[in-house]
Amino acid sequence: MTISWFQAALLGLFACLSSMPGLGGTSIGNYTLGRPLVGGLVSGLILGDVKLGIICGVAMQLVYIALVTPGGTVSADVRAVSYIGIPLAMVAIQSQGLSLDSADAANLAKSMGTLVGTVGTVLFYGTATMNLLWQHIGWKAVEKGEFKRLYVVDWGFPWISHLVFSFLPTLIMCKLGADAVTALKTALPLDGIPMKTLFTVGSLLPCVGIAILLKQIVEKAVDFIPFFVGFTLAASLGLNLVSCAVISLIFAVLFYEIQMAKNVRAQAAASASFDDDDEEDI
């Protein structure tokens, strides 16, 4: 598999749309197009192998499943993970001749995604820093009363930031990096220590993402019970993620109804207490 300049340019365009601060918006850009699961589909469509793209996207999504950006703190930016890491992982898997359904293919994809995740952090802060320049121009326009100029500041100048820190890095790394990844086939054979190390590290990376997710949602010991229901269903009944998600909707509805019933009772009790106080005052 090779990546042409046109394909690399398309990947660069989607990197711009999914970057944070998002050129495509937060909901559509960063939190939709930027997710590795969606990025795998897009990369697969661009490179002509949808199945391989989705496999790489699913593998990387496990690692970054709990990725959040509180304030200005960014541990990894998804533009690099989804539109640099996934295409290069696809090339690496093809060049190594790995089976798409093998654990080695998934582990290699996870390792590639993690390697470029730190690159995305640099791109994020570079974009944010350059955007400060446009913000300064915007404040100057406001002080002078040139409000129409704000349209250019909001809709025009940010394209320059994303061109420099999203489009060009993705274009260059996808195009030139594909040749480097292909060369690894001869430099790093599958039975060598470096490749085995990548596979081992890649197999452990999903634990990091799941552990971070656990830290966010588990507040007491009882919260572990619904969390492990999905794993139990998959292991015991052989259900896939879609089936487990449908079953989880039942539990979500039950928890919602129980919580709403508790709220109604609490409101009724508070209302009754308020009426008793009024009667005593009379």
Side-chain angles (χ1 to χ4, degrees):
M1 176 183 288
T2 59
I3 300 178
S4 66
W5 284 108
F6 178 71
Q7 290 172 325
L10 288 178
L11 293 170
L13 176 61
F14 276 95
C16 291
L17 294 174
S18 62
S19 61
M20 191 72 179
L23 190 60
T26 301
S27 299
I28 297 177
N30 185 259
Y31 288 109
T32 301
L33 293 176
R35 299 301 99 178
L37 188 59
V38 179
L41 173 62
V42 174
S43 298
L45 290 172
I46 293 175
L47 299 183
D49 195 336
V50 176
K51 182 178 180 180
L52 178 57
I54 292 177
I55 289 175
C56 293
V58 170
M60 294 185 188
Q61 184 68 62
L62 288 174
V63 181
Y64 296 98
I65 192 171
L67 179 64
V68 293
T69 54
T73 304
V74 176
S75 57
D77 192 79
V78 290
R79 89 186 78 179
V81 175
S82 298
Y83 297 105
I84 298 177
I86 291 179
L88 294 183
M90 293 173 64
V91 174
I93 292 172
Q94 284 280 4
S95 63
Q96 294 288 354
L98 298 175
S99 173
L100 301 185
D101 300 329
S102 66
D104 289 341
N107 294 336
L108 180 58
K110 298 167 195 171
S111 300
M112 295 292 293
T114 306
L115 287 174
V116 300
T118 53
V119 176
T121 305
V122 177
L123 299 179
F124 167 82
Y125 287 113
T127 305
T129 302
M130 181 170 281
N131 283 342
L132 291 176
L133 175 62
W134 318 136
Q135 186 181 41
H136 179 71
I137 295 175
W139 280 113
K140 288 291 185 181
V142 171
E143 292 174 357
K144 295 179 181 179
E146 300 174 352
F147 298 109
K148 291 185 178 180
R149 194 176 181 185
L150 295 178
Y151 290 106
V152 180
V153 174
D154 292 337
W155 298 94
F157 290 157
W159 274 99
I160 301 176
S161 304
H162 290 282
L163 177 67
V164 174
F165 289 102
S166 293
F167 182 81
L168 291 179
T170 304
L171 175 72
I172 295 172
M173 294 183 70
C174 285
K175 176 56 182 175
L176 302 182
D179 297 332
V181 169
T182 304
L184 290 177
K185 179 180 179 180
T186 55
L188 300 175
L190 287 177
D191 56 352
I193 294 178
M195 291 303 295
K196 288 183 178 180
T197 302
L198 280 177
F199 293 151
T200 303
V201 173
S203 64
L204 297 175
L205 288 174
C207 298
V208 178
I210 294 175
I212 297 175
L213 182 63
L214 265 176
K215 187 177 180 181
Q216 293 177 356
I217 65 176
V218 173
E219 297 180 355
K220 50 186 180 295
V222 182
D223 293 338
F224 279 100
I225 297 176
F227 184 83
F228 288 117
V229 167
F231 293 98
T232 305
L233 292 174
S236 302
L237 303 179
L239 300 180
N240 56 28
L241 290 177
V242 177
S243 301
C244 292
V246 173
I247 295 176
S248 68
L249 290 176
I250 301 174
F251 291 96
V253 172
L254 290 176
F255 279 117
Y256 174 78
E257 294 293 341
I258 292 172
Q259 187 62 43
M260 292 302 295
K262 289 181 179 179
N263 293 340
V264 171
R265 289 184 180 180
Q267 292 176 359
S271 177
S273 176
F274 180 77
D275 292 340
D276 292 340
D277 292 340
D278 288 344
E279 291 177 359
E280 291 177 0
D281 292 339
I282 293 174

